[in-house]
Every structure is written in C-alpha cells, then in structure tokens.
Amino acid sequence: MFSVRDMFTVGIGPSSSHTVGPMRAAADFVDQLQQQRQLTVITDIKCELFGSLGQTGKGHGSGKAVILGLLGLDPETVDVDQVPQLLAEIDNTQQIALNQQHVVRFPKKGAIVFHHRQSLPQHSNGMRLQAFSDKQLILSQEYYSIGGGFVVTAEQLGQMEPQDNHTALPFPFETSAELMAHCQEQGMTIAAVMKANETAWCDYSQIIQHIRSVAAVMEQCIVRGCRTQGVLPGGLKLQRRAPLLARQLKAEQKTNQDPLNAMDWVNLYALAVNEENAAGGRVVTAPTNGAAGVIPAVLAYYQHFVGELDDDTLEIFFLTATAIGSLYKHNASISGAEVGCQGEVGVACSMAAAALTALLGGTNGQIENAAEIGMEHNLGLTCDPIGGLVQVPCIERNAMGAIKAINAARLAMRGSGNHKVPLDKVITTMRDTGRDMKTKYKETARGGLAVNVIEC
C-alpha cells in the first residue's frame, strides 16, 4: 500500500508519466554521475524515449522535462515562470549545465530521440539515458515511468512500492476485502485505518502538513486557472475556457435559480486545474496529472456547497482517497499508457467518490460502494489525446469525472452499503480491460479521437 505522501505529490504539467516521470529520471541519472564522481568528465548526454513516451512525448513536453531534470531541477519546486527562458538558452547554445554545474554538448538534433515505433520490453513508458566522455560510454541507464510520476529502473520494476512502505504496519492490506475486514474487526473507519498505518511510517505531524500543503496547491491551482487567460500551448491553439466561465458564474450568483448550478461550478473547478496542467503549470498529481482536476473539483464542491474544510475533514478526505488509490496502484494501474484513461480519470473518479462519501458521513460499506460505482462506469475509457496533447478530450473529461464522482457518492449514500459488485472485482476488471485494450487507445495518439479529429 501507499502513503498519502506517495499518492499526492506536487509537480508540473501536462503529464505525470510523460513530464514528471522523465524529469525525475533525468535528475536521478545526473545524481548517479555525481555520486560516482564522473560528472566532470562527461562531454555529451543522450536521451532516447520509447513506446508511448516516444509517440506522444513531444505533445506531453517529455523532451522539455528531460532537460529540466538534467539541470537538476525538481518538479515540485521548479519555478515554472523561468522554464521558457531556461529552455531557450539551451536551444540557442546547444549546451546544458548538468545539475547546473558542468556544461556539456546538447545539440538540437540527436540529444533527445523520440522513437515512434520502438518500445523497451518491460513497460510502454520507457526511456534510456546515456553519458559519454567524448565517444566513450560512461553510464547507461534505462528507466520506466509507470504512472503518477513514479519512476523505476528495469531492476526496480517489480518493486512497485516505495522502500519505506515495507515497514511493518498495524493494518496491512492489498485488497478492498482486507481493508474492510480491518475496519469491521477494529470498529474503525477507512480513514482511521490509513491514519494508523501512516503513523507507522513517520510522525503524523508530517502527514497532516503534507495534506495541508497539497490542499493549498489544489486551491491555488483553481484560482490561477480561473484568472489566467489566453491560448494553451501546442498545435490545437485551444482557448482557455475557465476565466470566461468564472466571470459568467460570478455575475449570475445573485440571480441564478437553476437547481443544478453547482454542476457549473464543479465544471469550472476541474477545467481551471486541467487548463493549468495543459499549460505546464503547477498541479497536484492526483493520482496523475492527466486526471489532476477531478479530486480538487470534488473537494472544492464540498467546501463551497456542503461544509467547511479543516484539518479533520482534509484528513478524512485525503486518507480515504489514498486507501482507494492504493488498491488500484497495487492491483491494476494508474497509467494511461498501460490501461487507458480508465486508469487515470477513472481511478481519480473512484478515489474522489469514496472520499466525498466519507465526508458526507457514509459508512465504510457506502464508501466502498461509491468507489466501485465511480470506476464501474469508467470501465473501458480510452486514452486518445488529439495531437498527443493533454487537452482534448482530457480537460473536459476531468469535469465529467468530477460530476460522476459526486453522483456516485450520492447514489451510494442513498443505499445501504451492500452492493452486488465488490470493488476488488471492478479493479480486476479494469486491469483485464486495460490488458485487452488495443495499444492505439493507450496514450499513443494513434487511435480514437486522435486520428478521427483533424488538428487545427
């Protein structure tokens, strides 16, 4: 299982697997060179991107992410406003300062190679980094970006969980059935079980501080998305919609009698976040960047239309969401390149539905039911971004996922908590559906909308 510190991290858009992952991999590669005291002998660096990274990496900003990682920058702290200037300087000089210390050659042609028809054997998001001293190979390392910003080497691929998660836990679980059994035996909520496990990993003050920080970044992202106007980067020339929608909704606040007005606000929150993500802004990986708008939109819905947010409610929300997300991460996938968008927006919808149900006072059975509903009606959702950009249909899809999560919670709250389809069976079905799904529908931009809608 995973900690809330693993499930919710801060990064930059537009993709956790295609941007955040490659950035972390490149930074790790430079760190290895430095640790081996080989950094100063390097004259050239080469990066090759394979599979989905090679096919849609340009639209996802993977090349830019690799450059930022080689500079030694971190996706959580990088100054996004300075990125264009940094990239322009490297493009003009055709040189890069590894870890911002040692300058090496970095030609426009050949330093980063996008392989459109080649894949590495172990995962669809593969990359290879190589460092040379003149023509002598000094270090070569293959990485796999497995979703949600998680990056592993070929040797680590089977070890899916962070090392500190091997600590003995009071309530370990790998399935929903095991989680629910702990809850029933101990008379605890899902959030309480997660809290007990979290405190086995670190002091709980660190956990609540992380939760507060993540919630603040989500709120700031909505605010920025509602204020920032203009056209999103990339060939689609897509106009930001959130600022206009925000102005319309604020102007209508005193006169709008539409009983479904809350839906418009939820749409706004999700659009704002994912337009920021598409522009390369700072977002929370929740559990991926492509699905970054669902959970913030549902949390904002609760804050503005249901009740107040404080440490207690934030704790319940994020710990419940983490418990559900852990089940998908361990037993299936949250990578669009592995299982399609059912693993991104679908998982985010399931997590958000469960978390909202917990805040509404739902029983553990109702929470599990909400999570099951949230995924059951996203099964088979493909990942077919037009132009390889995380824009169409990705931005609107987050709004739809947020609305679906709220409805799943409402359906579950009207039920007893007993349901015919167990969450574990839905997760297994999602995994199997992803395996059966054709590759062209899994973040390759070679099927679906990506080929049936002309870029303009």
Side-chain angles (χ1 to χ4, degrees), residues 48-59 112-119 124 439 444-446:
E48 297 176 88
L49 300 169
F50 297 88
S52 179
L53 290 181
Q55 291 161 347
T56 64
K58 290 184 179 180
I112 299 178
V113 179
F114 294 85
H115 293 291
H116 296 281
R117 292 294 184 268
Q118 295 182 43
S119 297
S124 51
T439 301
T444 61
R446 291 168 51 199

Side-chain angles (χ1 to χ4, degrees), residues 45-221:
I45 288 280
K46 181 178 180 180
C47 176
E48 297 176 88
L49 300 169
F50 297 88
S52 179
L53 290 181
Q55 291 161 347
T56 64
K58 290 184 179 180
H60 284 71
S62 298
K64 298 175 182 178
V66 168
I67 291 172
L68 296 176
L70 292 175
L71 287 170
L73 300 175
D74 182 83
E76 185 167 347
T77 57
V78 60
D79 185 346
V80 293
D81 294 328
Q82 293 298 315
V83 168
Q85 181 180 341
L86 292 171
L87 296 174
E89 183 177 344
I90 292 167
D91 187 63
N92 291 333
T93 63
Q94 298 192 62
Q95 293 180 323
I96 187 168
L98 302 180
N99 227 3
Q100 301 183 72
Q101 297 175 24
H102 177 64
V103 177
V104 301
R105 293 187 290 262
F106 202 75
K108 296 179 184 179
K109 186 175 181 180
I112 299 178
V113 179
F114 294 85
H115 293 291
H116 296 281
R117 292 294 184 268
Q118 295 182 43
S119 297
L120 293 180
Q122 292 180 268
H123 194 278
S124 51
N125 282 337
M127 58 187 293
R128 180 186 297 131
L129 283 154
Q130 294 179 312
F132 300 86
S133 179
D134 291 324
K135 294 184 179 181
Q136 181 184 357
L137 179 63
I138 300 299
L139 180 65
S140 179
Q141 182 68 66
E142 291 182 356
Y143 293 92
Y144 293 94
S145 183
I146 59 176
F150 289 86
V151 177
V152 294
T153 63
E155 296 77 18
Q156 297 168 334
L157 191 57
Q159 304 169 9
M160 298 293 286
E161 298 189 20
Q163 291 299 311
D164 64 350
N165 284 13
H166 295 298
T167 303
L169 302 176
F171 306 114
F173 63 88
E174 293 183 354
T175 66
S176 180
E178 292 172 353
L179 171 61
M180 298 300 284
H182 285 311
C183 291
Q184 185 171 358
E185 291 167 4
Q186 303 298 324
M188 298 166 69
T189 65
I190 291 173
V193 166
M194 281 299 299
K195 182 175 181 177
N197 286 337
E198 294 281 1
T199 54
W201 288 320
C202 69
D203 188 273
Y204 196 71
S205 63
Q206 298 177 41
I207 299 298
I208 196 63
Q209 182 57 44
H210 181 79
I211 289 173
R212 288 178 192 149
S213 175
V214 163
V217 173
M218 287 182 173
E219 184 177 18
Q220 291 160 10
C221 190

